[in-house]
Amino acid sequence: MRAMPTTVTAVTALLLLTACGGENGGDGAKDDAKQESGACSTATVSVEVGPASEAPAAGDNGEVPVNLVNQGPSCVLDGFPGASLVAAGGEPVALAPTDGATAQKLTLPEGGSASFTITYVRGPEDAGRSLDAKTLEIGLPGDSATRDFPWSYGPVANQGEGEGTATGTGTADATVSAFQRSGD
């Protein structure tokens, strides 16, 4: 008969430890919610482009900040932002990550914000040597949808020698930084 109370005590202790969140002592429900957060989506994250530090002349560098605010439930940014420039009637030209940048996984709670920066070199007004960008496409990792914004910062230089980017071929001399947490 004494074995029964010991078994009941052991089961009760196990249930209490599980309810307290286990090893980390945290709230099990909150830990589960963090693990279940899905990828952030352009449907629930507001995106604002600019104001930019525009490159004034060909060969000069410019920076375009992009700010994000999560309007929905907690979500995850895992990887680099998707950013492409598009000339009128051209195909999107994807921007590579900034040299040396490392993507980090960020969880954005509802109302949480993050940002990234597009850095570019302004090109000459010569269609054969520059991408005459008209649109900036922004996408989030894990989300296939994109949002379009007008590109009003002038043509973007062609990176290196070779085929031009006037109609969306070649490589634009522009990069995208990793996400950074912003705000409080």
Side-chain angles (χ1 to χ4, degrees):
M1 254 236 237
R2 292 190 96 154
M4 176 98 88
T6 304
T7 305
V8 171
T9 303
V11 170
T12 303
L14 180 61
L15 290 173
L16 286 173
L17 283 174
T18 303
C20 290
E23 296 175 11
N24 297 329
D27 179 356
K30 288 182 184 174
D31 291 342
D32 289 344
K34 286 180 188 174
Q35 292 174 354
E36 292 177 12
S37 294
C40 292
S41 165
T42 56
T44 58
V45 173
S46 67
V47 180
E48 180 182 315
V49 175
S53 174
E54 188 174 337
D60 291 339
N61 291 327
E63 292 186 340
V64 181
V66 180
N67 298 299
L68 312 169
V69 177
N70 184 18
Q71 305 294 324
S74 181
C75 64
V76 176
L77 295 169
D78 190 6
F80 280 95
S84 298
L85 293 171
V86 185
E91 293 295 318
V93 176
L95 306 185
T98 303
D99 284 343
T102 303
Q104 56 182 324
K105 186 175 181 177
L106 295 178
T107 299
L108 284 183
E110 183 175 356
S113 59
S115 64
F116 64 92
T117 303
I118 296 168
T119 303
Y120 72 100
V121 176
R122 185 163 181 151
E125 300 287 335
D126 179 354
R129 295 176 36 210
S130 299
L131 172 64
D132 190 17
K134 301 296 181 194
T135 304
L136 169 65
E137 288 183 355
I138 300 291
L140 302 177
D143 182 21
S144 61
T146 60
R147 287 220 183 126
D148 293 350
F149 298 90
W151 180 266
S152 59
Y153 313 114
V156 176
N158 193 20
Q159 186 174 30
E161 299 297 321
E163 191 173 349
T165 58
T167 60
T169 60
T171 304
D173 196 352
T175 60
V176 61
S177 74
F179 291 108
Q180 298 293 319
R181 191 172 306 283
S182 56
D184 291 328

